[in-house]
């Protein structure tokens, strides 16, 4: 039944994406002008495609978030549903930075060609251009969502990998606060891409911690703030049985 549920979920994503595609195709002609509209369409598609198969998202905030300011959203990463969780979480327009392979996906490809930022981790030039573009987005008041582990591991149950320092250098350079986010149980509902264990209906619990200010930090402190955020997320994930 879990395999069947995964097929239903993927079909739901394709159906809602297809329904919005004519509008998205028009908006994609000028993504800079229609950035917010494209992001809003993605949020609706994400919520509806999950809700139709009984997957919902429950958020707990350590402190209220003023979404009118740009942030670096940093979360653990164990499921493709983590992307939808971030989309449903953040009401303001924001961009993902993700692996370049997402350009080849029929759904994520449209967004990574318009409002998101693809990154080829094997190329220093690609990484430089990606983070430069992210800095420009932040300067325009747009938040960035980055999974600092850089990938979903092959272990099941999953554990928290070391974080890359790029997102934290970016936060310091842009003086953007970092919001640590813990997605507790997405892997139990839909691990990785769902091929191995399928999926099931359920409620995904997301904990949003208070923003960490970076305005007074120096680039030399990027590794320290990286490790601090890693330990913070690990501490909260352990406490709720995430590992």
């Amino acid at each position: 039944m879990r395999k069947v549920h995964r097929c239903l979920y993927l079909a739901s994503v394709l159906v809602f994406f297809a329904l919005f595609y004519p509008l998205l195709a028009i908006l994609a002609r000028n993504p800079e002008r229609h950035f917010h509209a494209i992001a809003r369409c993605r949020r609706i598609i994400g919520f509806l495609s999950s809700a139709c198969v009984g997957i919902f998202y429950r958020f707990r905030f350590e402190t209220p978030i003023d979404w009118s300011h740009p942030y670096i959203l940093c979360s653990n990463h164990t499921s493709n549903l983590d992307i939808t969780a971030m989309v449903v979480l953040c009401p303001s327009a924001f961009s993902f930075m993700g692996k370049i392979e997402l350009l080849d996906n029929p759904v994520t490809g449209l967004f990574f060609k318009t409002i998101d930022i693809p990154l080829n981790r094997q190329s220093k030039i690609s990484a430089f251009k990606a983070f430069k573009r992210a800095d420009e987005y932040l300067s325009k008041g747009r938040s960035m969502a980055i999974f600092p582990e850089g990938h979903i591991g092959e272990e099941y149950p999953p554990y928290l990998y070391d974080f890359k320092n790029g997102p934290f250098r970016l936060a310091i350079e842009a003086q953007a606060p970092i919001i640590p986010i813990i997605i507790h149980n997405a892997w139990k509902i839909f691990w990785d891409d769902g091929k191995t264990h399928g999926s099931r209906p359920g409620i995904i619990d997301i904990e949003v911690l208070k923003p960490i200010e970076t305005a007074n930090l120096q680039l030399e402190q990027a590794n320290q703030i990286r490790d601090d955020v890693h330990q913070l997320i690990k501490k909260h994930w352990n406490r709720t049985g995430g590992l």
Side-chain angles (χ1 to χ4, degrees), residues 36 67-71 92-93 135-143:
H36 291 270
W67 293 110
S68 65
H69 298 291
Y71 300 97
S92 61
D135 185 63
E136 292 172 355
Y137 279 11
L138 288 164
S139 69
K140 294 178 180 178
R142 301 169 184 169
S143 293

Side-chain angles (χ1 to χ4, degrees), residues 3-4 8 15 36 44 52 60 75 79 88 91 111 143 155 164 169 176 205 217 223 232 237-238:
K3 299 287 186 179
V4 172
L8 290 175
V15 166
H36 291 270
I44 296 171
C52 276
R60 183 166 68 86
S75 167
S79 168
V88 176
F111 299 108
S143 293
E155 295 79 14
K164 313 290 185 183
R169 289 181 61 87
D205 288 303
L217 299 180
N223 287 352
L232 192 60
W237 202 29
N238 277 334

Side-chain angles (χ1 to χ4, degrees), residues 5-229:
H5 185 270
R6 175 180 179 268
C7 290
L8 290 175
Y9 169 71
L10 295 177
S12 178
V13 172
L14 289 174
V15 166
F16 283 106
F17 180 74
L19 289 174
F20 276 83
Y21 184 78
L23 174 59
L24 286 169
I26 295 172
L27 298 175
R29 294 174 185 172
N30 192 338
E32 185 63 28
R33 180 180 179 183
H34 300 299
F35 189 99
H36 291 270
I38 295 172
R40 192 174 300 115
C41 288
R42 174 165 63 184
R43 192 165 189 243
I44 296 171
I45 292 169
F47 174 79
L48 291 177
S49 59
S50 293
C52 276
V53 294
I55 298 175
F56 298 94
Y57 304 87
R58 180 165 52 201
F59 302 97
R60 183 166 68 86
F61 293 85
E62 185 176 17
T63 187
I65 303 295
D66 181 359
W67 293 110
S68 65
H69 298 291
Y71 300 97
I72 302 288
L73 309 177
C74 285
S75 167
N76 60 311
H77 194 24
T78 63
S79 168
N80 283 0
L81 288 179
D82 297 339
I83 298 171
T84 309
M86 301 286 262
V87 167
V88 176
L89 162 67
C90 186
S92 61
F94 73 97
S95 296
F96 282 102
M97 182 182 290
K99 58 186 180 181
I100 197 168
E101 290 81 3
L102 291 170
L103 283 169
D104 299 327
N105 183 287
V107 176
T108 60
L110 183 144
F111 299 108
F112 271 87
K113 291 172 183 175
T114 53
I115 64 174
D116 293 332
I117 302 176
L119 169 65
N120 181 359
R121 297 188 182 279
Q122 307 304 316
S123 169
K124 291 184 179 180
I125 294 177
S126 172
F128 174 79
K129 290 181 177 179
F131 279 98
K132 188 176 186 300
R133 186 176 167 194
D135 185 63
E136 292 172 355
Y137 279 11
L138 288 164
S139 69
K140 294 178 180 178
R142 301 169 184 169
S143 293
M144 289 297 308
I146 306 174
F147 297 111
E149 292 170 273
H151 71 295
I152 297 175
E154 298 180 358
E155 295 79 14
Y156 185 88
Y159 67 86
L160 194 66
Y161 281 82
D162 291 339
F163 287 174
K164 313 290 185 183
N165 71 346
F168 306 95
R169 289 181 61 87
L170 173 65
I172 293 173
E173 289 178 343
Q175 297 189 346
I178 299 165
I179 300 182
I181 299 168
I182 303 95
I183 303 177
H184 287 294
N185 58 332
W187 65 273
K188 296 180 179 179
I189 292 173
F190 195 106
W191 176 60
D192 196 359
D193 58 6
K195 286 183 180 179
T196 303
H197 298 286
S199 63
R200 65 172 175 82
I203 298 176
I204 296 175
D205 288 303
I206 298 101
E207 188 174 1
V208 183
L209 305 184
K210 62 182 179 181
I212 299 173
E213 295 295 334
T214 63
N216 297 319
L217 299 180
Q218 303 298 318
L219 278 178
E220 293 76 14
Q221 297 172 277
N223 287 352
Q224 182 60 56
I225 196 70
R226 174 199 66 193
D227 295 341
D228 289 345
V229 172

